[in-house]
Amino acid sequence: MLGNSSSATEFFLLGFPGSQEVRRILFLTFFFLYAVTVMGNTVIIITVCVNKHLQSPMYFFLGHLSVLEVLITSTAVPFMLWGLLLPNTQIISLAACAAQLYLYLSLGTSELALLGAMAVDHYVAVCSPLRYDIIMNSSTCIWVVIVSWVFGFLSEIWPVYATFQLTFCKSNVLDHFYCDRGQLLKVSCEDTLFTEFILFLMAVFIIIGPLIPTIVSYTYIISAILKIPSASGRRKSFSTCASHFTYVVIGFGSCLFLYVKPKQTQAAEYNRVASLLVLVVTPFLNPFIFTLRNDKFIQAFGDVLKRCYQFLKS
């Protein structure tokens, strides 16, 4: 416990409760998920970059989405694994805590913006196929990605700045496995109601903003697909959009649960579960959702493996 006149300069993260045996099981589980996440998304990035058959807007966006997933999960999971392996070592400085929270929120916001852009890309592909190459040209795609990254990193400057302008004198213990904003507000000795309300409004704008074009796009997409006369044509169109739609439901659903609420200091157990969905589960599922049923990507990945084998053989 800290004195009323002093503010914490470092925080101790409690991580996950339980015995040492439970912590070992969690470590092995999360280490496996993290390793598969990094390797799977890296495979997507390399395959999209080197295979000329995947030089299209859909795979261009998918490559950047995979980059974001690797970076997002890497902001917190390695530190979490260290804490599970060596208990009572999860001490993080105030500056490192601010940097971790800023990177996590910024990368997450960029990802939501990119998911909204991908939904619009699917809409153009399904509803305006003849004009697709004109609308979604290389210049447009590059600008979409740049805007997504810039929007993410600019929009989270004030929320993180406002959070760390508070005085943290109630305690320097955070009941989480990373520097969660709700836990930071909880240990502040100031009245945080106004700050929480502003953060709530900004979360609504940041999350609902990309969600609206996503919902509108899929409304038109579903309407257009249902008008296709052949069952095989409808099935093919649905399968093209199903992976992205599944990812959207998981990603936006987790973020809505975490941040679109007037009271940020929700029970730590709920926040831990939702944070695991965003930081561990969603990045882990990304390679499987977007590639397992994608024959074009599987073929391109096979070509990359053949080229690597021939290179090593020579």
Side-chain angles (χ1 to χ4, degrees), residues 188-239:
S188 172
C189 54
E190 300 176 30
D191 185 1
T192 61
L193 284 177
F194 178 74
T195 302
E196 289 185 62
F197 179 68
I198 298 299
L199 292 174
F200 164 72
L201 293 180
M202 292 195 70
V204 169
F205 170 74
I206 288 170
I207 298 173
I208 302 299
L211 185 59
I212 290 173
T214 302
I215 293 173
V216 172
S217 295
Y218 274 103
T219 301
Y220 281 105
I221 287 170
I222 293 170
S223 177
I225 290 175
L226 292 176
K227 293 176 183 177
I228 298 175
S230 66
S232 60
R234 288 196 298 271
R235 196 180 305 112
K236 184 178 179 181
S237 298
F238 269 121
S239 64

Side-chain angles (χ1 to χ4, degrees), residues 119-141:
V120 176
D121 173 63
H122 285 307
Y123 160 74
V124 178
V126 173
C127 299
S128 301
L130 298 178
R131 300 178 58 204
Y132 181 77
D133 291 334
I134 299 173
I135 298 173
M136 300 303 297
N137 56 60
S138 59
S139 178
T140 301
C141 294

Side-chain angles (χ1 to χ4, degrees), residues 120-295:
V120 176
D121 173 63
H122 285 307
Y123 160 74
V124 178
V126 173
C127 299
S128 301
L130 298 178
R131 300 178 58 204
Y132 181 77
D133 291 334
I134 299 173
I135 298 173
M136 300 303 297
N137 56 60
S138 59
S139 178
T140 301
C141 294
I142 291 170
W143 273 109
V144 166
V145 168
I146 291 173
V147 169
S148 297
W149 282 82
V150 172
F151 172 71
F153 278 82
L154 289 182
S155 62
E156 294 296 343
I157 292 175
W158 188 87
V160 174
Y161 173 79
T163 301
F164 284 89
Q165 285 300 297
L166 300 171
T167 304
F168 307 108
C169 56
K170 285 184 180 178
S171 173
N172 67 337
V173 177
L174 304 182
D175 190 8
H176 216 294
F177 60 84
Y178 80 103
C179 282
D180 175 61
R181 185 164 62 196
Q183 288 298 308
L184 288 167
L185 294 171
K186 203 170 185 177
V187 299
S188 172
C189 54
E190 300 176 30
D191 185 1
T192 61
L193 284 177
F194 178 74
T195 302
E196 289 185 62
F197 179 68
I198 298 299
L199 292 174
F200 164 72
L201 293 180
M202 292 195 70
V204 169
F205 170 74
I206 288 170
I207 298 173
I208 302 299
L211 185 59
I212 290 173
T214 302
I215 293 173
V216 172
S217 295
Y218 274 103
T219 301
Y220 281 105
I221 287 170
I222 293 170
S223 177
I225 290 175
L226 292 176
K227 293 176 183 177
I228 298 175
S230 66
S232 60
R234 288 196 298 271
R235 196 180 305 112
K236 184 178 179 181
S237 298
F238 269 121
S239 64
T240 303
C241 303
S243 57
H244 179 262
F245 183 76
T246 303
Y247 200 80
V248 163
V249 171
I250 297 173
F252 278 98
S254 303
C255 291
L256 286 169
F257 179 83
L258 262 176
Y259 300 111
V260 183
K261 55 189 179 185
K263 191 70 175 172
Q264 294 287 311
T265 54
Q266 195 169 333
E269 292 77 13
Y270 295 107
N271 280 354
R272 249 195 299 264
V273 173
S275 297
L276 284 174
L277 280 175
V278 175
L279 283 162
V280 179
V281 178
T282 307
F284 170 77
L285 292 176
N286 178 51
F288 302 101
I289 291 175
F290 282 102
T291 62
L292 281 184
R293 297 180 61 189
N294 190 321
D295 295 334

Side-chain angles (χ1 to χ4, degrees), residues 25-43:
I25 294 172
L26 288 175
F27 172 81
L28 292 173
T29 302
F30 292 141
F31 179 79
F32 170 76
L33 294 176
Y34 179 66
V36 173
T37 296
V38 173
M39 288 188 292
N41 283 285
T42 302
V43 165

